[in-house]
């Protein structure tokens, strides 16, 4: 049952998922969930702002889990652990911002607060909008030693930047062109002044520390019309690049394990769980080639070649973090090319039944998003993105290429052939 604007309800559990949802469709702007942790209506620092470019609070109390789509609806989710919210924090503001239009063009906009362990709904607020480009949809606040949720519904026409600034966030604004220097004054010759030695000035105090870098709100979505982006131009020249894959379980009785799960002898009782694998083919500047993947425990390394590391194997899609591949941008010159791809290990015959989301997030720079929602062929392997070294800069190209494997040919060998990697493959298992 939807709450009225201004109403509140008790929150009976500490572990919550806050779900921003809306109906997708042609011309519908994208939306993003965010949270601000407040003391006396202000953030203590820019670190108290959790959103797509700053996905986790230092305390671990709030993290941005990302988007998922299914059945014509899209959700963007925050995880909140009230037990880890620092005692000084009085409120956690739950906000939304529209990307590419106003919320008046976003149908079915709502926010839900869910018990993270049971999945049951604690609160829901359905918002109506017109010209707003940002919204405070609700807030979690302390009252007499307990937590409550209030439906707020306060709109902004100044976007995420205006909302964030109102709460004390320093936003990275576009730089203004400096005014032209004044014209030089007309020269006038004067007699030289008498020579004297001025007294020594007192020592200067040390310069103040440089201000903290402002929060960057920019982001990049690669599309068929604009498929390429330079990491250097987005500020991603050092640190690491994290590639995150999340998906939803598809519960259909007709599902069967793909041929690879069956051939490896895995026992399946009832409809199998959907298991996707995030992988990367790499070619280094010295000619060495290889693959980083869960099969064969080829998890790679971040501090030595290939400077790519897979953090684990999420076999269910139920983990909030999904699967994560990390690329060291400090070694960008050691790469010739990297192909990031996804395979279906079991649980579906094609990506047409998979609701997957991929985010490439440089440590310094804007994230790059795209989803696995365009498959129209019986594909079990999708080439996601190709990173190519061009003069020391890694250029990211959206591939979103769904490949159909020939009978008896593995997904890995299929993607190798399509991109001419030229590796020798042997059977592997998890």
């Amino acid at each position: 049952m939807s709450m009225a604007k201004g109403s509140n309800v008790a929150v009976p559990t500490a572990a919550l998922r806050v779900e921003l949802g809306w109906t997708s469709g042609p011309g519908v702007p994208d939306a993003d969930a965010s949270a601000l942790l407040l003391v006396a209506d202000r953030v203590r620092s820019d670190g108290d702002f959790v959103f797509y470019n700053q996905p986790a609070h230092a305390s671990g109390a709030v993290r941005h889990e990302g988007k998922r789509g299914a059945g014509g609806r899209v959700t963007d989710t925050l995880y909140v652990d009230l037990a880890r919210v620092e005692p000084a924090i009085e409120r956690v503001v739950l906000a939304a911002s529209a990307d590419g239009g106003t919320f008046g063009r976003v149908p079915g906009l709502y926010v839900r607060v869910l018990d993270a362990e049971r999945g049951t709904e604690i609160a829901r607020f359905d918002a109506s909008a017109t010209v707003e480009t940002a919204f405070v949809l609700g807030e979690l606040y302390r009252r007499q030693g307990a937590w409550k949720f209030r439906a707020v519904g306060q709109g902004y026409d100044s976007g995420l930047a205006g909302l964030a600034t109102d709460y004390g966030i320093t936003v990275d604004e576009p730089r203004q062109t400096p005014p032209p220097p004044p014209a030089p004054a007309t020269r006038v010759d004067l007699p030289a002044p008498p020579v004297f030695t001025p007294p020594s000035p007192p020592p200067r105090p040390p310069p103040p520390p440089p201000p903290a870098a402002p929060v960057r709100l920019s982001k990049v979505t690669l599309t068929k019309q604009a498929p390429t982006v330079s990491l250097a131009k987005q500020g991603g020249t050092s640190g690491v690049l994290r590639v995150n894959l999340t998906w939803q379980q598809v519960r259909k009785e007709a599902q069967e394990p793909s041929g690879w799960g069956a051939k490896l002898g895995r026992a399946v009782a009832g409809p199998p769980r959907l298991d996707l694998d995030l992988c990367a083919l790499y070619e280094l500047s010295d000619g060495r080639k290889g693959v980083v993947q869960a099969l064969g425990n080829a998890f790679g390394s971040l501090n030595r070649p290939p400077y790519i590391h897979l953090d684990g194997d999420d076999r269910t899609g139920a983990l909030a973090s999904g699967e994560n591949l990390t690329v060291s941008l400090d070694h960008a010159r050691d790469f010739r090319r990297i192909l990031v791809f996804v395979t279906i290990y079991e649980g579906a015959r094609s990506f047409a039944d998979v609701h997957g989301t991929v985010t490439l997030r440089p440590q310094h720079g804007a994230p790059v998003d795209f989803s696995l929602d365009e498959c129209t062929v019986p594909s079990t392997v999708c080439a996601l993105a190709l990173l190519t070294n061009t003069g020391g800069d890694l250029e990211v190209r959206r591939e979103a290429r769904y490949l159909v494997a020939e009978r008896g040919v593995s997904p890995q060998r299929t993607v190798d052939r399509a991109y001419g990697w030229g590796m020798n493959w042997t059977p592997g298992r998890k």
Side-chain angles (χ1 to χ4, degrees):
M1 180 176 178
S2 182
M3 300 173 62
K5 181 176 178 178
S7 61
N8 61 75
V9 65
V11 177
T13 186
L16 306 173
R17 278 200 166 80
V18 178
E19 178 184 281
L20 169 69
W22 66 96
T23 303
S24 62
V28 175
D30 194 19
D32 297 289
S34 57
L36 299 107
L37 289 76
L38 306 182
V39 178
D41 296 329
R42 303 279 288 182
V43 296
R44 298 166 300 180
S45 71
D46 291 346
D48 286 339
F49 184 29
V50 177
F51 71 119
Y52 49 81
N53 272 5
Q54 196 164 268
H57 192 261
S59 67
V62 183
R63 68 171 181 262
H64 180 246
E65 293 187 341
K67 292 187 176 70
R68 292 185 175 183
R73 297 200 65 81
V74 182
T75 59
D76 195 14
T77 305
L78 300 164
Y79 176 83
V80 181
D81 186 352
L82 296 176
R84 301 181 71 173
V85 175
E86 297 153 291
I89 299 297
E90 300 167 356
R91 292 192 293 148
V92 180
V93 166
L94 308 170
S97 55
D99 184 12
T102 67
F103 274 116
R105 295 167 50 198
V106 181
L109 180 68
Y110 69 87
V111 62
R112 288 203 306 161
V113 179
L114 306 170
D115 184 321
E117 296 180 357
R118 299 181 180 180
T120 54
E121 183 177 288
I122 297 171
R124 177 184 176 118
F125 174 52
D126 293 274
S128 59
T130 53
V131 299
E132 296 88 348
T133 51
F135 251 108
V136 174
L137 292 169
E139 63 182 11
L140 296 161
Y141 65 99
R142 298 182 192 267
R143 180 59 55 86
Q144 297 179 347
W147 284 93
K148 291 186 136 186
F149 170 79
R150 178 185 291 117
V152 178
Q154 177 186 350
Y156 290 74
D157 61 6
S158 51
L160 184 58
L163 184 151
T165 303
D166 266 9
Y167 288 102
I169 299 295
T170 306
V171 175
D172 185 9
E173 298 287 357
R175 294 189 177 186
Q176 302 295 324
T177 303
T186 304
R187 178 177 172 180
V188 178
D189 292 326
L190 298 174
V195 177
F196 68 95
T197 303
S200 299
R204 292 183 178 182
V215 171
R216 295 173 61 99
L217 300 182
S218 59
K219 65 176 182 176
V220 177
T221 300
L222 296 184
T223 64
K224 291 180 180 179
Q225 294 73 30
T228 306
V229 66
S230 162
L231 288 184
K233 290 181 180 179
Q234 297 298 322
T237 56
S238 62
V240 296
L241 169 70
R242 299 191 189 279
V243 183
N244 173 251
L245 167 69
T246 58
W247 66 93
Q248 290 181 328
Q249 288 296 329
V250 182
R251 304 185 183 280
K252 294 183 179 179
E253 295 298 327
Q255 283 183 326
E256 298 177 4
S258 68
W260 301 104
K263 287 182 180 180
L264 292 174
R266 297 185 68 177
V268 179
R273 302 186 71 86
L274 178 61
D275 184 4
L276 306 186
D277 285 337
L278 183 61
C279 317
L281 285 169
Y282 63 84
E283 182 178 1
L284 302 182
S285 57
D286 61 8
R288 284 180 289 176
K289 301 177 182 179
V291 65
V292 175
Q293 62 177 6
L295 278 177
N297 296 320
F299 291 101
S301 174
L302 199 60
N303 300 315
R304 60 179 185 273
Y307 309 113
I308 306 170
H309 180 250
L310 180 66
D311 67 353
D313 179 25
D314 178 1
R315 299 194 180 193
T316 68
L319 298 179
S321 58
E323 291 200 1
N324 296 277
L325 192 75
T326 306
V327 179
S328 173
L329 297 181
D330 293 332
H331 292 274
R333 293 187 177 276
D334 292 305
F335 299 120
R336 185 171 295 167
R337 56 177 179 160
I338 303 169
L339 180 69
V340 181
F341 65 99
V342 175
T343 67
I344 299 176
Y345 185 69
E346 67 177 354
R349 296 180 181 274
S350 169
F351 282 102
D353 296 325
V354 172
H355 303 291
T357 301
V358 180
T359 303
L360 285 75
R361 192 184 305 275
Q363 184 174 341
H364 307 290
V368 180
D369 296 328
F370 51 89
S371 60
L372 302 173
D373 58 359
E374 301 173 352
C375 183
T376 58
V377 295
S379 169
T380 57
V381 57
C382 176
L384 293 174
L386 182 65
L387 284 70
T388 306
N389 189 327
T390 56
D393 171 27
L394 285 181
E395 183 180 85
V396 180
R397 178 177 178 84
R398 176 186 186 271
E399 296 293 307
R401 185 177 175 187
Y402 299 94
L403 304 172
V404 180
E406 297 178 5
R407 186 175 182 84
V409 178
S410 70
Q412 287 82 355
R413 192 184 297 268
T414 299
V415 76
D416 181 314
R417 289 179 180 177
Y419 286 86
W421 231 264
M423 292 174 55
N424 295 318
W425 296 93
T426 58
R429 66 175 61 243
K430 292 187 180 181

